[in-house]
Amino acid sequence: MKKWRCTVCGYIHEGPTPPEKCPVCGAPSSAFVEEASEPAKAVSANPVSGVAAGLVSSSAGFASSPVGGIPSAPSKPSAAPVAPIDRPKDDAKAGLFAISYGMFVVSSKNGDKFNAQTCNTVFQVTSEPARVAIGINKLNLTHDYIEASKILTVTILGKGNMKHVKRFGFQSGRDVDKFAGLQFTLSPKVGCPVIPDGVAYLECQVRPEMSVDVGTHTLYVADVVGGGALKGTEAITYGYYRANRAKPDEFVDDVDWNNVIAALNLEYGANRRYQYQIGEMNNPRLAAMLEGVMRTEGDHVDSALRYLDGRLQEKLGGVGAKGFLSTLLHMTLNWEFEEVARATYAQFAKETGDPALREVFTEQARSEMGHVNIFKEVVESLEKGQYPALFFCPVCGWELDYGAGPQDNAQKACPKCGARFSLSVKDGNWVLTRVS
């Protein structure tokens, strides 16, 4: 039976062909490569001979030398070298994606005109004097402006700046004014645009004699002549961008929203931890202490949910999810949590060297992927108003089904006890009121 390995998460599939989609990370079938049926063979422990053998460094750090009668240190390889094997083509791409990059907006000017672009290649090369290198595609208008003025600014992007990645990276300055409708300032020394809600900025003077032509790009080396802090948000990486690029801007760029969700997940965990320990505790005094702590964690959960519930109503603006805003909030939170859990377990599976533990983490990742699909389907159904409004009759406890997308003040009688109820929307949620 053939084995296929997902080059994204490492999941192994057995079958004549790769699966249409990885059940762990969701990667398409093109991301799978066939595993070699036989392991690579090791070469001889002493693959060199003659004069070449006398020049191989020993494991102790000495070099043998047959010249001039100088005695050579004993040479013993620390391990048998392994013959090189051809890696799948996709591995190179995966390796490049594994390199940690920042995300930046690089801006420059040409006369009284400004342009900027998203960039992930900015790094410090010296500290005294402070100098950075910036990689810019020669086809970009920003490259033309840097060539003309030899000056630029770099705005380091952070949480809340995903919209800037898209604004300055998904369109060309030759076609549109990327700064149209955007508040920005000019840096005090070189006079190039700075994005005020970035993390920090640098002002740079290009050193042409140090810059390098690297084919499709120019790697500009520039002196840092100024800069400063902007907002206190955490700087984002290219990995962060790839993980969040599909999310709506109004969610991924809302720092408060995402921070409260992170806090809420911590409080959920703490509340459940103490609840479990109370049940296991034989000491009444310690159990009472834990119960008090648990109640405060519950208060934190409630306050976080109230904040998120209000913000969700602002974000949706009454569009979709009629009568289900609180439910939609909980299902969305569950979806996001399961996404994080799936990615975490898939990463743990890649990191462990224990086959048994790898299988445990892989199975957990598969399970969480199933949960992701469940909550995703529910959220999409709620957003489209296609989820049925179901209630238990407050009189007899039987099910009241108002169907999907009921109108305000829709009335229905309980099929068991005959009590009649009206369904209305209040603060974005369905409210059941008895009318007879």
Side-chain angles (χ1 to χ4, degrees), residues 230-309:
L230 295 169
K231 292 184 68 176
T233 52
E234 178 184 353
I236 61 174
T237 63
Y238 185 60
Y240 176 91
Y241 159 71
R242 287 182 56 81
N244 293 278
R245 58 185 172 177
K247 294 182 180 179
D249 289 347
E250 64 268 23
F251 286 96
V252 72
D253 270 346
D254 190 329
V255 176
D256 290 339
W257 172 271
N258 287 290
N259 286 347
V260 172
I261 286 178
L264 180 62
N265 286 333
L266 290 175
E267 298 297 340
Y268 273 139
N271 188 272
R272 183 65 185 91
R273 172 196 295 265
Y274 300 135
Q275 185 181 25
Y276 176 82
Q277 291 178 354
I278 289 170
E280 298 293 314
M281 192 69 62
N282 293 322
N283 187 309
R285 181 174 296 177
L286 290 178
M289 180 270 292
L290 286 175
E291 188 172 352
V293 175
M294 184 184 72
R295 282 198 299 268
T296 63
E297 304 294 5
D299 292 340
H300 299 164
V301 168
D302 291 340
S303 61
L305 287 174
R306 283 195 298 271
Y307 173 85
L308 294 174
D309 191 63

Side-chain angles (χ1 to χ4, degrees), residues 78-391:
S78 58
V82 177
I85 60 174
D86 291 332
R87 303 301 301 172
K89 291 182 179 179
D90 283 350
D91 275 7
K93 197 171 186 180
L96 291 173
F97 286 157
I99 299 175
S100 180
Y101 301 92
M103 293 300 290
F104 315 92
V105 170
V106 175
S107 62
S108 188
K109 67 179 181 179
N110 187 359
D112 60 352
K113 296 180 180 179
F114 301 115
N115 195 62
Q117 68 165 78
T118 302
C119 179
N120 66 1
T121 310
V122 177
F123 55 94
Q124 183 177 352
V125 290
T126 62
S127 56
E128 292 293 340
R131 216 168 258 153
V132 294
I134 307 104
I136 303 292
N137 193 307
K138 294 177 182 177
L139 297 178
N140 293 353
L141 184 61
T142 303
H143 187 279
D144 295 349
Y145 282 22
I146 295 173
E147 286 291 306
S149 65
K150 301 298 187 291
I151 55 176
L152 59 91
T153 60
V154 177
T155 300
I156 295 89
L157 300 181
K159 288 182 177 178
N161 292 155
M162 186 68 82
K163 56 185 176 293
H164 298 319
V165 175
K166 298 176 180 179
R167 171 189 281 264
F168 292 102
F170 290 8
Q171 54 188 349
S172 172
R174 302 184 193 280
D175 303 322
V176 298
D177 177 4
K178 296 184 183 181
F179 290 100
L182 177 69
Q183 178 186 3
F184 67 95
T185 59
L186 296 180
S187 64
K189 294 186 179 178
V190 301
C192 292
V194 172
I195 312 302
D197 60 344
V199 175
Y201 74 97
L202 297 172
E203 298 183 84
C204 302
Q205 178 72 52
V206 172
R207 297 292 297 269
E209 76 280 8
M210 296 181 180
S211 300
V212 182
D213 184 329
V214 290
T216 58
H217 291 59
T218 298
L219 187 65
Y220 290 108
V221 176
D223 291 332
V224 176
V225 298
L230 295 169
K231 292 184 68 176
T233 52
E234 178 184 353
I236 61 174
T237 63
Y238 185 60
Y240 176 91
Y241 159 71
R242 287 182 56 81
N244 293 278
R245 58 185 172 177
K247 294 182 180 179
D249 289 347
E250 64 268 23
F251 286 96
V252 72
D253 270 346
D254 190 329
V255 176
D256 290 339
W257 172 271
N258 287 290
N259 286 347
V260 172
I261 286 178
L264 180 62
N265 286 333
L266 290 175
E267 298 297 340
Y268 273 139
N271 188 272
R272 183 65 185 91
R273 172 196 295 265
Y274 300 135
Q275 185 181 25
Y276 176 82
Q277 291 178 354
I278 289 170
E280 298 293 314
M281 192 69 62
N282 293 322
N283 187 309
R285 181 174 296 177
L286 290 178
M289 180 270 292
L290 286 175
E291 188 172 352
V293 175
M294 184 184 72
R295 282 198 299 268
T296 63
E297 304 294 5
D299 292 340
H300 299 164
V301 168
D302 291 340
S303 61
L305 287 174
R306 283 195 298 271
Y307 173 85
L308 294 174
D309 191 63
R311 291 300 304 277
L312 184 64
Q313 295 186 46
E314 294 176 15
K315 289 176 182 295
L316 293 180
V319 178
K322 185 177 180 181
F324 287 107
L325 282 179
S326 291
T327 303
L328 177 62
L329 171 63
H330 287 289
M331 295 301 104
T332 301
L333 292 174
N334 292 343
W335 180 8
E336 292 190 3
F337 178 78
E338 297 294 347
E339 285 275 19
V340 172
R342 179 207 58 78
T344 300
Y345 291 137
Q347 182 63 29
F348 287 171
K350 288 191 289 185
E351 291 176 355
T352 184
D354 184 331
L357 187 57
R358 182 182 300 112
E359 181 58 31
V360 169
F361 285 137
T362 301
E363 195 60 34
Q364 288 175 327
R366 289 195 191 104
S367 175
E368 304 302 350
M369 191 66 212
H371 299 164
V372 167
N373 292 332
I374 291 171
F375 289 121
K376 180 174 182 284
E377 182 178 331
V378 172
V379 167
E380 290 174 348
S381 179
L382 288 170
E383 289 178 336
K384 295 174 183 177
Q386 297 175 349
Y387 205 84
L390 296 173
F391 300 88

